[in-house]
Amino acid sequence: MSRSGSDGVLPGTQIAMAKKISKAQKRSNEQSHAGTPSATRPLVGIIMGSSSDWETMEHAVVTLKELGVPHETRVVSAHRTPDLLFEYASNAEKRGIEVIIAGAGGAAHLPGMTASKTVLPVLGVPVESKALKGLDSLLSIAQMPGGIPVGTLAIGKAGAINAALLAAAILGVKYPHIRETLRSYREAQTGRVLANPDPSTAALPQKKRAAKLTKKRTRS
Ligand code: RP5
């Protein structure tokens, strides 16, 4: 009987390899983000099925950074590294993680399987797939059986941003400073909309305006 796991890697080897990578990531995080919130104990775990999901999931990271919410990011695949997924989801609570954001595309089983191994809130971000524009991801994440919930967000960038905001709202119940930062974020957003009521007169950044004019001139 073969003892190989997903992709022919021995069970346990996935976890050992991931631990090595994670230690190296932690070291480099500490070096490059010393003093920033993500260098402190992470409260939010952002996981994604593939490094190809980063383009989408980066928006969750940027939003959490804006809010000053400590977080960590990892690639954890439900299909390619199932042992790592089980290990991550089973130990997240012990490690002090309080909310998990899981992004995946296509047959997006990562959020649901993660939710099945933890009682922490899991927020699912459907990544836009090439074949079905993310509808497959959305349905795979949203259509959970009763008993194991995944809070499912919108497909793509909006979903990633909102997952971060929802994670902050959840944490805000326990941490007043996160709730107040979220309140300021929302007020600033409202302020930006109210400050630009007429898009036809809204000031374009100079570079963009110049590029637009050149394009117009070359066309005529
Ligand atoms: C899913 O398969 C990932 O979440 C990703 O969205 C999708 C494609 O992965 P790659 O083939 O680009 O690695 O598991």
Side-chain angles (χ1 to χ4, degrees):
M1 195 175 72
S2 158
R3 288 180 51 235
S4 287
S6 161
D7 294 347
V9 179
L10 287 175
T13 311
Q14 284 171 15
I15 296 164
M17 275 161 46
K19 275 185 183 156
K20 262 192 188 171
I21 295 167
S22 152
K23 267 190 193 160
Q25 273 177 347
K26 202 175 161 216
R27 266 200 307 276
S28 97
N29 262 358
E30 280 164 2
Q31 279 157 8
S32 58
H33 300 291
T36 65
S38 51
T40 64
R41 182 175 69 84
L43 294 175
V44 179
I46 301 180
I47 54 175
M48 61 206 86
S50 166
S51 48
S52 67
D53 297 328
W54 174 243
E55 209 180 303
T56 301
M57 298 311 292
E58 190 178 11
H59 296 287
V61 172
V62 168
T63 307
L64 286 180
K65 273 189 184 161
E66 270 182 70
L67 297 170
V69 176
H71 54 275
E72 65 179 19
T73 50
R74 300 274 182 282
V75 171
V76 177
S77 166
H79 305 121
R80 293 170 177 150
T81 63
D83 300 333
L84 174 61
L85 157 62
F86 269 46
E87 202 244 5
Y88 187 92
S90 323
N91 292 325
E93 189 183 341
K94 277 180 240 156
R95 293 196 302 109
I97 296 289
E98 297 188 20
V99 182
I100 296 177
I101 296 175
H109 297 140
L110 179 66
M113 287 308 296
T114 301
S116 76
K117 292 294 288 180
T118 181
V119 293
L120 293 176
V122 176
L123 307 177
V125 179
V127 171
E128 187 174 326
S129 56
K130 277 192 193 126
L132 298 172
K133 295 266 170 221
L135 195 56
D136 43 357
S137 327
L138 175 66
L139 296 178
S140 310
I141 296 175
Q143 291 302 108
M144 288 295 290
I148 306 292
V150 170
T152 309
L153 284 303
I155 298 171
K157 178 181 171 182
I161 293 171
N162 284 345
L165 294 174
L166 196 51
I170 293 167
L171 292 169
V173 173
K174 179 172 167 189
Y175 302 100
H177 70 282
I178 296 182
R179 185 171 62 235
E180 292 317 310
T181 309
L182 183 59
R183 201 188 306 281
S184 307
Y185 176 100
R186 294 279 289 268
E187 282 167 4
Q189 178 171 256
T190 302
R192 279 195 303 277
V193 176
L194 293 177
N196 296 294
D198 181 355
S200 70
T201 58
L204 278 177
Q206 222 174 352
K207 256 189 176 174
K208 262 193 180 171
R209 203 174 328 162
K212 261 196 165 178
L213 286 175
T214 324
K215 223 179 182 181
K216 249 189 182 173
R217 266 188 232 120
T218 30
R219 265 201 221 119
S220 53

